[in-house]
Amino acid sequence: MTNREITTLKWAPPIFQGQVRDLGVRWALEEAGLSYRERFVTDAERHSPEYRLRQPFGQIPAYREDDVELFESGAIVQFIAERHGLLPANPPAHERARAWMFAALNSVDPPIIELGAIDHFAGSLPWEIERRPAVVTSILERLELVAAQLEKHDYLAGEFSAADILMITVLRALRHTDLVSRNPVMRDYRDRCEARPAFQRALAAQLAAFARHAPDKAA
Amino acid sequence: MTNREITTLKWAPPIFQGQVRDLGVRWALEEAGLSYRERFVTDAERHSPEYRLRQPFGQIPAYREDDVELFESGAIVQFIAERHGLLPANPPAHERARAWMFAALNSVDPPIIELGAIDHFAGSLPWEIERRPAVVTSILERLELVAAQLEKHDYLAGEFSAADILMITVLRALRHTDLVSRNPVMRDYRDRCEARPAFQRALAAQLAAFARHAPDKAA
């Protein structure tokens, strides 16, 4: 019986299937060869006081392992990575890889989150039409700076690491655009990471869970 | 001679003085009682290829300690915190505090970054006027969820920790608004953290550096 448990959404709209943030946690566990249990929350349950004791923002994923109770996909992936060899062993490279983890979430993700708000959560409001080009420019600039790091190495920390898990899961939120594909270095980087068997298993597991909970069963 | 070096901006416009991201790194070092050297880059220098080898996004701060070369304020504060006791020792509490570090940067910061783009980097464009209320609502909702965690404890991880350093430095970017002060729990939390002598020393050091490099010398 595994002692690892991921809590995620029971169901998500098709456009978010394949990018819900438990993906990175599943991927890290798959890279480490570790099994896990799944636990599902409905939209109503994730905003309940009980769930907020575990996940203060009512978001997913949440994670349990023995007496450790975690939230934030970045923190969970880091926790798994440190315990199970998904970061370089050499201290300067180890710290540099962890810096890339924070960079994915605090330097690359914010304009991608803003683009998601424009593209998925409203209609074609005047402000969105006016704002979108600047957000796209900001994303493309950041992708170019990430690509500059990938010209000499296949992965952010040289070897594959948890930094790539977080960067790729952040970039998944651009799937409805061609922004990653426009940059050949980033396109190849994404394809190289997503071709990993552990990524494929993680993605299949997320999609299978959503398929099992079709809307009529998701309450 | 100290082996710790923070690289930050030579100068920043007055509205950003007191919230430039080296503040959290200085604060962590002050809490730990550690000395550091300062190194300054101009706006031109931070976009140079040389600097990008250290900081891929041309941002500040960057940090050096012995053979460790780091970027991203979250990663730097975490590095200092782990080595110098700014996180709870007990493993579940330690991991929970690190989750709050990621929460500050990936769940609380993004809408604050978006508000900054609206309030500081353009004029009163139609899209900004239309978008701003929704961004403010999103920030207020998140502040309320953070406040819920602070009702029983003075600090995010129970005791003061690096999580508070990152949360407060994120919230500093709301200084031009009353959004934090509107929530009494958050206002008291901010005031409690900012009253710490280590915070005051860090803030004074940042402001003193900017004052030494008045615009005519900053070129």
Side-chain angles (χ1 to χ4, degrees):
Chain A
M1 185 81 176
T2 176
N3 57 342
R4 293 173 206 91
E5 181 187 271
I6 298 176
T7 300
T8 184
L9 290 179
K10 191 159 185 183
W11 189 76
I15 190 146
F16 299 121
Q17 295 188 13
Q19 75 183 52
V20 177
R21 291 286 179 110
D22 60 279
L23 183 64
V25 178
R26 293 177 188 268
W27 186 3
L29 291 171
E30 291 286 354
E31 291 283 354
L34 301 169
S35 63
Y36 59 93
R37 269 198 315 275
E38 297 166 301
R39 186 180 167 133
F40 299 99
V41 286
T42 62
D43 254 339
E45 285 161 355
R46 75 189 177 93
H47 295 300
S48 68
E50 295 71 35
Y51 186 64
R52 281 196 182 146
L53 287 177
R54 299 183 55 202
Q55 210 308 347
F57 299 91
Q59 298 166 334
I60 57 83
Y63 183 76
R64 268 190 188 131
E65 183 171 328
D66 302 321
D67 56 352
V68 171
E69 172 92 67
L70 270 177
F71 59 103
E72 289 287 328
S73 54
I76 302 168
V77 168
Q78 178 177 262
F79 172 77
I80 296 165
E82 288 174 350
R83 291 197 165 188
H84 302 289
L86 302 181
L87 286 164
N90 160 275
H94 179 92
E95 296 303 337
R96 191 90 182 161
R98 296 203 307 169
W100 274 107
M101 297 180 64
F102 280 93
L105 298 171
N106 201 226
S107 290
V108 178
D109 203 16
I112 294 177
I113 292 173
E114 193 179 345
L115 187 70
I118 291 175
D119 289 354
H120 302 313
F121 289 102
S124 295
L125 300 175
W127 78 263
E128 297 175 312
I129 294 164
E130 223 180 322
R131 174 63 173 159
R132 195 176 191 280
V135 176
V136 165
T137 300
S138 157
I139 293 170
L140 289 173
E141 281 169 2
R142 282 171 172 77
L143 293 183
E144 214 169 297
L145 294 170
V146 176
Q149 297 294 311
L150 291 167
E151 268 159 21
K152 291 193 188 147
H153 306 284
D154 280 354
Y155 300 104
L156 292 172
E159 61 192 271
F160 178 81
S161 76
D164 303 299
I165 292 178
L166 290 184
M167 186 65 77
I168 291 294
T169 49
V170 162
L171 297 181
R172 297 277 296 172
L174 294 172
R175 282 183 307 151
H176 66 296
T177 72
D178 66 351
L179 299 183
V180 173
S181 299
R182 275 195 222 173
N183 182 316
V185 173
M186 291 307 290
R187 180 199 60 210
D188 293 352
Y189 167 63
R190 175 199 62 197
D191 293 350
R192 186 184 310 133
C193 291
E194 294 189 353
R196 296 176 70 87
F199 173 85
Q200 290 298 327
R201 287 194 297 272
L203 179 62
Q206 178 179 91
L207 296 178
F210 290 141
R212 281 201 309 279
H213 304 133
D216 59 314
K217 303 180 222 159
Chain B
M1 184 78 176
T2 176
N3 56 341
R4 293 173 206 93
E5 181 187 270
I6 297 177
T7 300
T8 184
L9 290 179
K10 192 159 186 184
W11 189 77
I15 191 145
F16 299 119
Q17 295 188 12
Q19 75 182 56
V20 176
R21 291 287 179 111
D22 61 279
L23 183 64
V25 178
R26 293 178 188 269
W27 186 4
L29 291 171
E30 291 287 353
E31 292 282 354
L34 301 169
S35 63
Y36 59 93
R37 268 197 315 275
E38 298 166 301
R39 186 179 165 132
F40 299 99
V41 286
T42 62
D43 254 338
E45 285 162 356
R46 76 191 176 93
H47 295 299
S48 68
E50 296 70 35
Y51 186 63
R52 280 195 181 146
L53 287 177
R54 299 184 55 203
Q55 209 309 347
F57 299 90
Q59 296 165 335
I60 57 84
Y63 183 75
R64 269 193 187 130
E65 183 171 328
D66 302 322
D67 56 351
V68 172
E69 171 91 68
L70 270 176
F71 60 102
E72 289 286 329
S73 53
I76 302 167
V77 167
Q78 178 176 262
F79 173 77
I80 296 164
E82 288 174 350
R83 291 196 165 189
H84 301 288
L86 303 181
L87 285 164
N90 159 277
H94 178 91
E95 295 303 337
R96 192 91 180 159
R98 297 204 305 170
W100 273 108
M101 297 180 64
F102 280 93
L105 298 171
N106 201 226
S107 289
V108 179
D109 203 16
I112 294 177
I113 292 173
E114 194 178 346
L115 188 70
I118 291 175
D119 289 354
H120 301 313
F121 288 104
S124 294
L125 300 174
W127 77 263
E128 298 174 312
I129 294 164
E130 225 180 321
R131 173 62 172 160
R132 196 176 190 279
V135 177
V136 166
T137 300
S138 156
I139 293 170
L140 289 173
E141 281 169 3
R142 282 172 173 77
L143 294 184
E144 214 169 296
L145 294 170
V146 176
Q149 298 293 310
L150 291 167
E151 267 159 21
K152 289 192 190 149
H153 305 284
D154 279 354
Y155 300 104
L156 292 171
E159 60 191 275
F160 178 80
S161 77
D164 303 299
I165 292 178
L166 290 183
M167 186 65 78
I168 291 294
T169 50
V170 162
L171 298 181
R172 296 278 297 171
L174 294 172
R175 281 184 306 150
H176 67 295
T177 72
D178 66 351
L179 299 182
V180 173
S181 299
R182 276 195 221 174
N183 182 316
V185 172
M186 290 306 289
R187 181 199 58 208
D188 292 352
Y189 167 63
R190 176 199 61 197
D191 293 349
R192 185 185 308 131
C193 291
E194 294 189 352
R196 295 176 70 86
F199 174 84
Q200 290 297 327
R201 287 195 296 272
L203 179 62
Q206 178 179 94
L207 296 178
F210 289 143
R212 281 201 307 280
H213 303 131
D216 59 314
K217 303 180 224 160

